[in-house]
């Protein structure tokens, strides 16, 4: 057993003053085979604590069905931290933001009519409490009060940026206390007055999040919470990327100077992020401050450790500063993870999407197009099909509130794309006798921050030709959770010139021996937009819009012998090959 508490303006661990030097590493953004490597590098940099969010949607993907294995094995991650003698700060759900899909909340919440999110809504809180009944007992043995490494836990996350329902925060607090979470509880908020006022509750330590202007931020915290320790719970030493925007970097010297300012002010700090990792699969979030902007697959964040675990100039400067400031002897640096260039891989089209719908989805009939959530779908794509009478000239196809990107086909012919951030109608003629209208909508990530969290996916209002709504729809949910079903697809004759729609492509490369397995980076030069699977694992999205140009392929996903690559390309490729190289390109 151990104690971690607040006394005046100090943190005490085992009754001795301690400065918390923490770094954020999200277990759910890192392949489990690399958890120890990343945690070792955190410790080798001089840090004494690791912080992680807990992503509810990873652990309860369907209501009442829980997952705590593989990348969701939070207990194993914390146990590795304990082996390395790192303290742990846990920031559990319900909401985490984190540029993570729906801020960490599960998509099935949106299927409940009338539910209000992140407030004292009894329906919402019943779902949170049912989740806590499973999650928190798993964490209990890992609390420092029970001999484990967890020294503190967060109540909600940056709540003052969203609302002011203090009764809701009190419920979350009591839900944790009643389940014997008897460690230090805290909240964290931005430095604005309204944020701090909306996110604080009595008996819980408030911390502050910022990326610069240390004195100003800490003074704001002192005004609402005098005579308590100063802690920056999220020091934004880098930043994340959106599609169609430049790649973010931050000067290493300047970032480390802000950290030194915190130390000189007597503050503790959690680097957000220390190691960002990857938004594998469909788990990237999006921002919406009046315009919807999805986050890229990489969550490199320009952190001290890169997405693939390499040390950076920022890391080296931090390590030197910590050694100088605290006079501690630092452990040797772990060896870098090996990279390998496996070269070009030829790809061939194996299954146009519309040819294999029966393998991937069971159709559902509705009068109106329904969003994914109403069909029990969480991520991926959804296809809407209906018949349109004709002849009609100069039709204007309008999708009311499409979330997020729709490809339109008339009798199998591609007519264009309608995007949420640029919802321009598509014009076409309908021939005599009518035509089949198909609309394939991609969920590009639910909003993770701000006032627009209730982010249904698919067509959320309706479809019109001119002012006439279209009814009688067939819908195919396409979450693409299991692409192994494609093995049952009929043989496809390669007629590349005939492929004008979404198609699955397949290729493979060979690794002779285990010693040749290493990290690599998948470049898709000449491809347009889609997702990539390696040995059945969803690496995430690619898009020629950038900034990201390569996808990170961790070595533990590979194996000796044949390694399969499947690309689901939405538009078409100029060249039927991909390249596995030993260098990344984040733009």
């Amino acid at each position: 057993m151990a104690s971690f508490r607040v006394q005046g303006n100090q943190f005490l661990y085992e009754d001795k003053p301690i400065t918390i030097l923490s770094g954020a590493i999200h277990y759910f953004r890192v392949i489990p085979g690399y958890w120890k490597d990343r945690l070792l590098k955190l410790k080798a940099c001089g840090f004494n604590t690791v912080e992680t969010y807990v992503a509810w949607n990873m652990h309860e993907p369907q209501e009442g069905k829980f997952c705590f294995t593989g990348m969701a094995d939070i207990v194993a991650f914390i146990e590795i931290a304990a082996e390395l003698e790192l303290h742990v700060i846990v920031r559990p759900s319900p909401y985490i933001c984190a540029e993570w899909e729906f801020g960490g909340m599960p998509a099935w919440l949106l299927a409940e009519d009338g539910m209000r999110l992140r407030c004292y809504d009894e329906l919402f809180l019943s779902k949170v409490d049912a989740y806590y009944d499973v999650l928190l007992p798993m964490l209990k043995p890992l609390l420092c009060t029970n001999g484990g490494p967890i020294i503190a836990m967060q109540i909600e996350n940056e709540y003052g940026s969203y609302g002011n329902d203090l009764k809701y925060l009190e419920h979350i607090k009591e839900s944790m206390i009643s389940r014997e979470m008897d460690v230090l509880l805290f909240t964290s908020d931005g430095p604005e007055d309204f944020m701090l006022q909306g996110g604080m509750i009595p008996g819980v330590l408030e911390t502050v999040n910022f990326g610069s202007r240390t004195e100003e931020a800490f003074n704001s915290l002192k005004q609402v919470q005098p005579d308590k320790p100063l802690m920056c719970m999220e020091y934004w030493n880098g930043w994340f990327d959106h599609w169609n925007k430049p790649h973010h970097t931050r000067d290493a010297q300047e970032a480390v100077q802000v950290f030194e300012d915190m130390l000189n002010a007597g503050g503790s700090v959690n680097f957000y992020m220390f190691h960002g990792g990857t938004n594998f699969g469909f788990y990237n979030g999006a921002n919406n401050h009046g315009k919807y902007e999805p986050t890229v697959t990489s969550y490199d964040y320009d952190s001290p450790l890169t997405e693939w675990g390499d040390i950076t100039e920022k890391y080296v400067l931090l390590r030197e500063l910590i050694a100088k400031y605290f006079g501690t002897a630092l452990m040797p640096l772990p060896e870098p993870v090996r990279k390998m260039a496996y070269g070009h891989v030829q790809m061939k089209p194996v299954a146009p999407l519309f040819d294999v719908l029966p393998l991937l989805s069971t159709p559902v009939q509705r009068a109106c197009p329904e969003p994914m959530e109403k069909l029990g779908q969480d991520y991926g794509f959804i296809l809407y099909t209906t018949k349109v009478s004709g002849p009609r000239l100069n039709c204007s196809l309008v999708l009311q509130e499409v979330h997020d990107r729709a490809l339109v086909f008339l009798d199998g012919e591609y007519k264009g794309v309608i995007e949420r951030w640029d919802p321009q109608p598509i014009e076409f003629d309908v021939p005599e006798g009518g035509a089949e209208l198909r609309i394939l909508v991609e969920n590009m990530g639910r909003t993770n921050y701000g006032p627009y969290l209730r982010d249904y996916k698919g067509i959320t209002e309706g479809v019109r030709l001119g002012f006439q709504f279209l009814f009688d729809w067939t819908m195919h949910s396409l979450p693409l959770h299991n692409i192994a079903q494609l093995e049952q697809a009929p043989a496809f004759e390669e007629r590349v010139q005939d492929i004008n729609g979404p198609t699955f492509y397949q290729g493979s490369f060979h690794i002779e021996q285990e010693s040749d397995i290493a990290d690599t980076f998948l470049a898709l030069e000449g491809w347009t937009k889609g997702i990539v699977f390696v040995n059945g694992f969803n690496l995430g999205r690619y898009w020629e819009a950038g900034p990201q140009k390569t996808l990170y392929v961790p070595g533990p996903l590979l194996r000796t012998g044949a390694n399969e690559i499947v690309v689901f390309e939405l538009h078409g490729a100029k060249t039927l090959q991909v390249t596995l190289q030993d260098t990344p390109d984040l733009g």
Side-chain angles (χ1 to χ4, degrees), residues 282 360-361 372 377-382 476-482 531 533 538:
F282 296 121
L360 299 174
S361 179
M372 287 183 177
Q377 182 181 351
D378 46 14
Y379 313 118
F381 302 80
I382 184 168
H476 288 84
S477 292
L478 297 163
L480 302 185
H481 291 324
N482 181 14
I531 55 175
F533 300 84
N538 188 340

Side-chain angles (χ1 to χ4, degrees), residues 249-514:
T249 58
R250 183 175 182 180
D251 179 76
Q253 297 272 5
E254 187 263 342
V256 173
Q257 180 58 59
V258 174
F259 171 51
E260 186 169 10
D261 293 342
M262 293 184 212
L263 296 179
N264 289 333
S268 290
V269 62
N270 175 53
F271 271 69
Y272 190 96
M273 298 292 298
F274 180 82
H275 170 55
T278 309
N279 298 316
F280 291 116
F282 296 121
Y283 279 115
N284 67 278
N287 283 281
N288 189 344
H289 303 286
K291 181 182 179 182
Y292 173 83
E293 295 182 308
T295 308
V296 304
T297 299
S298 169
Y299 201 63
D300 178 82
Y301 211 88
D302 194 34
S303 301
L305 277 189
T306 64
E307 178 185 5
W308 46 96
D310 280 357
I311 67 172
T312 64
E313 179 191 5
K314 199 176 291 182
Y315 180 105
V316 172
L317 293 175
L318 277 174
R319 193 168 186 264
E320 292 172 352
L321 177 64
I322 291 171
K324 170 187 169 186
Y325 201 94
F326 293 95
T328 53
L330 296 174
M331 60 183 283
L333 287 174
E335 290 295 316
V337 177
R338 286 195 318 123
K339 287 89 178 167
M340 185 78 76
Y342 296 104
H344 300 310
V345 178
Q346 292 301 124
M347 307 294 294
K348 65 177 182 179
V350 292
L353 174 66
F354 300 151
D355 289 1
V356 293
L357 285 176
L359 293 177
L360 299 174
S361 179
T362 301
V364 173
Q365 300 288 138
R366 294 283 192 276
C368 301
E370 298 270 16
M372 287 183 177
E373 297 79 7
K374 295 297 183 182
L375 302 182
Q377 182 181 351
D378 46 14
Y379 313 118
F381 302 80
I382 184 168
L383 178 66
Y384 301 90
T385 304
T386 192
K387 290 285 188 178
V388 182
S389 63
R392 302 189 191 197
L393 300 178
N394 303 318
C395 291
S396 181
L397 180 72
V398 178
L399 307 186
Q400 290 194 196
E401 293 299 314
V402 62
H403 291 186
D404 300 301
R405 190 172 186 271
L407 279 65
V408 177
F409 302 86
L410 194 71
D411 278 343
E413 182 182 349
Y414 175 65
K415 293 296 183 182
V417 62
I418 298 178
E419 296 169 324
R420 179 176 180 175
W421 50 92
D422 185 26
Q424 300 301 314
I426 290 177
E427 309 290 333
F428 53 73
D429 297 334
V430 180
E432 185 175 354
E436 181 185 64
L437 175 65
R438 276 178 161 166
I439 305 170
L440 179 67
V441 181
E442 179 183 3
N443 166 4
M444 289 196 63
R446 289 180 183 84
T447 301
N448 57 255
Y449 179 84
Y452 304 112
L453 283 178
R454 188 175 293 276
D455 192 358
Y456 293 95
K457 293 303 182 183
I459 296 173
T460 64
E461 294 290 338
V463 179
R464 292 187 280 115
L465 279 183
F467 289 104
Q468 182 187 68
F469 279 102
L470 302 180
F471 294 95
D472 189 18
W473 291 88
T474 300
M475 287 165 280
H476 288 84
S477 292
L478 297 163
L480 302 185
H481 291 324
N482 181 14
I483 63 164
Q485 296 153 315
L486 293 174
E487 294 174 3
Q488 304 170 41
F492 175 65
E493 296 179 18
E494 294 188 35
R495 301 183 309 275
V496 177
Q497 67 274 15
D498 296 339
I499 300 173
N500 69 341
T503 301
F504 293 92
Y505 297 78
Q506 189 270 340
S508 66
F509 65 101
H510 195 84
I511 296 179
E512 287 292 335
Q513 51 196 8
E514 196 163 333

Side-chain angles (χ1 to χ4, degrees), residues 185-202:
L185 300 180
F186 66 92
T187 54
S188 67
D189 288 284
E192 301 293 329
D193 289 342
F194 77 92
M195 296 176 178
L196 293 166
Q197 294 160 14
M200 293 179 65
I201 53 173

Side-chain angles (χ1 to χ4, degrees), residues 94 118-120 156 159 165-172:
R118 299 184 72 194
C119 67
Y120 195 87
E156 241 273 359
Y159 186 71
D165 190 344
L166 302 187
K167 185 180 179 183
Y168 162 63
L169 294 182
E170 286 285 353
H171 180 95
I172 300 296

Side-chain angles (χ1 to χ4, degrees), residues 90 92 136 139 143 150 152-155 176 181 183-186:
V90 175
L136 297 186
L139 299 181
L143 304 178
I150 299 174
M153 296 179 71
Q154 179 173 276
I155 293 170
M176 296 175 75
M181 299 298 103
V183 293
L184 177 72
L185 300 180
F186 66 92

